[in-house]
Amino acid sequence: MLTRKQSELLRFIHERLQEDGVPPSFDEMKDALDLRSKSGIHRLIMALEERGFIRRLANRARAIEVLRLPESATVAAPRPQKFSPSVINGDLGRHRAPSPAGPPEARAPVMVPLMGRIAAGTPISAIQTRMDTIAMPPDFLGSGDHYALEVRGDSMIEAGIFENDMVIVRKQDSAETGDIVVALIDDEEATLKRLRKRGASIALEAANPAYETRIFGPDRVRVQGKMVSLFRRY
């Protein structure tokens, strides 16, 4: 799945290639998506390339090839809705805490979908394609729907979260001050940070003094889930 901005940019590039035979410039992309800077376009382009939707041709200016479109783009559809991490398929990643007297099979591992990478540093685009599954003990989860994300970056190291760790996230759209959450910024970028409520504003706080706390208006940040556990391979 793509975020709303990624989908809009892919569709814009595809339409321009169909009409003119050449892709739009970064300035045209920025204006079309109503972004403030070309750095945002660069991040979107990198995300589309990583997901295999486009390919940039080396040594050629403005050379972008659209490799494929999302399945939803093959039929007439309304404007894509805002990003929503519908990452749970059926009962995958879902666990309801059993009673102590429950049957032994209730203690069986829960298969949690690994949905890609999350930044614990400078925000990167959210990845919404299931890459794998992780077998988790039910005691690590509690009730609810869960998904896993691989950590990139070092901004949460003082909270014991390191690069290449797998964070287990319970899907929810609200959180309390002090919770470590997956936060979506401007429907475009996802990051793993500690959430602090400051009046009407929301602060996303790193656990590394090398990173500044970022403060946003409440309409710019949406909670996508709360970290409930961590999985680390040695």
Side-chain angles (χ1 to χ4, degrees), residues 100-220:
E105 57 268 23
R107 313 303 300 173
V110 178
M111 301 307 296
V112 176
L114 173 61
M115 299 305 299
R117 299 176 179 88
I118 184 73
T122 303
I124 59 176
S125 296
I127 295 179
Q128 289 292 298
T129 302
R130 195 173 84 199
M131 299 169 60
D132 203 348
T133 54
I134 300 174
M136 293 295 298
D139 290 343
F140 280 59
L141 300 178
S143 299
D145 292 340
H146 300 80
Y147 57 96
L149 294 165
E150 183 179 353
V151 174
R152 286 288 181 265
D154 61 357
S155 76
M156 298 301 290
I157 56 175
E158 292 191 1
I161 304 170
F162 299 93
E163 186 157 24
N164 298 322
D165 283 350
M166 303 287 183
V167 291
I168 310 301
V169 180
R170 181 171 61 239
K171 185 180 176 183
Q172 58 187 65
D173 58 10
S174 63
E176 300 297 327
T177 289
D179 288 344
I180 296 177
V181 302
V182 173
L184 185 68
I185 303 169
D186 295 332
D187 288 318
E188 179 183 341
E189 296 175 320
T191 189
L192 184 75
K193 292 291 183 292
R194 193 177 300 279
L195 181 141
R196 304 283 186 190
K197 297 178 181 179
R198 298 186 176 181
S201 299
I202 294 176
L204 299 179
E205 179 183 275
N208 182 336
Y211 293 84
E212 295 183 352
T213 296
R214 304 177 69 193
I215 300 175
F216 301 91
D219 59 331
R220 295 187 60 193

